[in-house]
Amino acid sequence: MEISCKKQGGRVVAKLSGELDHHSAPQAREALSRAMHKEPAAVLVLDMAGVTFMDSSGIGVILGRLKELQRTGGSLTILNPSAQMKKILKMAGLGDLIG
Amino acid sequence: MQNSMTLRFSALSENESFARAAAGAFLARLDPTMGELAEIKTAVSEAVTNAIVHGYGGDGTRFVELTVSIEGRVAVVSVSDEGKGIADVAKAREPFFTTEPGTERSGMGFTVMEAFMDTLEVSSQQGRGTTVTMSRAIAGK
Ligand SMILES: Nc1ncnc2c1ncn2[C@@H]1O[C@H](COP(=O)(O)OP(=O)(O)OP(=O)(O)O)[C@@H](O)[C@H]1O
Ligand SMILES: [Mg+2]
């Protein structure tokens, strides 16, 4: 799993690539939390174009970041999920986050 | 005729991607669509991760067993551990139910397995372990 974060205006855009599972989740969680603390922004954008696999561990990572953001009134948007990812996001009630 | 394979591997998180990739490679002869393959691999990943995380609580000296069988055009996957077992299987299968809310688990594993496979059976005994058996018919390309 590779993550590169960039601040663009009031948003932090994180480009994720590789496989997001239970094994890579801690690394993803840490990279995203670090980016959010370093460059506080109201909106976190997760660009999933490069993610080749995601299971419910990815849902855990996304829900965790969403909760952190909501504490300060922020929000989260998910871009370019695969068809399989989209189904999982919808199952978890996160379909509205897809931008 | 039935064709099957079994893998026995250490309960380490780094083996999760190996397990789902091996299952996918074995099923390639059914010529599944990308979508079918992605969904079956996801279901395998959920069951294997549960065995590692919940069954063995991260004890990497224990082993997980994955069997994949091809029965006609049906893929049958079973994942077993000899770990702590599930107290209430019906409860465990409910969406968003998790016994580990503190570790960013979403409680969606069984819900994903159910959605991506045609059948899902869970047999578990506390203190003895858990076997998850699931199947899906492959329409193919
Ligand atoms: N192999 C297993 N051994 C012991 N308990 C299990 C096993 N598989 C599942 N469970 C129990 O069932 C619950 C629900 O599992 P499920 O996969 O749906 O959610 P989760 O693993 O808690 O979260 P997520 O999969 O979303 O990260 C788990 O929290 C755990 O208590
Ligand atoms: Mg799970």
Side-chain angles (χ1 to χ4, degrees):
Chain A
M1 169 110 282
E2 264 178 54
I3 301 180
S4 67
C5 300
K6 230 193 247 162
K7 186 143 188 200
Q8 291 177 355
R11 323 184 314 165
V12 168
V13 179
K15 280 191 199 279
L16 291 79
S17 60
E19 301 192 313
L20 181 49
D21 64 1
H22 161 250
H23 180 65
S24 62
Q27 184 198 341
R29 182 178 303 132
E30 203 180 298
L32 293 173
S33 290
R34 209 186 311 119
M36 285 158 61
H37 280 109
K38 205 173 99 195
E39 309 246 42
V43 183
L44 175 65
V45 179
L46 300 178
D47 185 345
M48 311 298 270
V51 178
T52 52
F53 178 85
M54 186 184 93
D55 62 15
S56 67
S57 295
I59 295 294
V61 171
I62 294 170
L63 271 174
R65 304 296 70 69
L66 182 64
K67 280 185 195 149
E68 279 182 13
L69 281 155
Q70 282 175 339
R71 251 179 259 137
T72 53
S75 66
L76 189 152
T77 300
I78 300 165
L79 298 182
N80 305 312
S82 70
Q84 170 257 9
M85 244 178 263
K86 218 180 257 182
K87 284 190 192 174
I88 300 179
L89 290 166
K90 283 186 182 157
M91 274 177 232
L94 299 177
D96 290 346
L97 298 182
I98 301 170
Chain B
M1 204 189 74
Q2 185 185 309
N3 183 3
S4 77
M5 71 95 175
T6 295
L7 285 177
R8 206 172 111 84
F9 54 90
S10 298
L12 297 167
S13 68
E14 66 203 65
N15 286 333
E16 291 156 6
S17 61
F18 164 69
R20 61 181 180 256
F26 185 73
L27 292 171
R29 71 206 68 196
L30 288 174
D31 213 11
T33 63
M34 297 278 277
E36 286 170 335
L37 203 55
E39 295 185 1
I40 293 172
K41 283 165 86 171
T42 308
V44 171
S45 190
E46 296 293 354
V48 168
T49 301
N50 279 352
I52 292 172
V53 173
H54 305 296
Y56 294 133
D59 178 358
T61 66
R62 310 294 301 277
F63 286 86
V64 179
E65 203 170 279
L66 164 70
T67 296
V68 183
S69 308
I70 294 171
E71 298 175 11
R73 296 227 31 106
V74 179
V76 183
V77 175
S78 102
V79 176
S80 300
D81 65 69
E82 297 180 319
K84 78 169 194 220
I86 302 174
D88 183 341
V89 171
K91 185 123 210 117
R93 290 176 66 154
E94 284 173 15
F96 301 109
F97 177 82
T98 179
T99 48
E100 307 218 2
T103 54
E104 289 195 353
R105 308 233 66 82
S106 65
M108 289 300 292
F110 278 128
T111 304
V112 169
M113 289 183 246
E114 213 147 333
F116 284 172
M117 302 297 282
D118 297 334
T119 67
L120 170 68
E121 250 174 75
V122 183
S123 82
S124 188
Q125 230 183 315
Q126 277 192 281
R128 304 294 285 273
T130 300
T131 296
V132 172
T133 305
M134 42 200 175
S135 69
R136 174 157 173 177
I138 307 289
K141 288 176 201 150

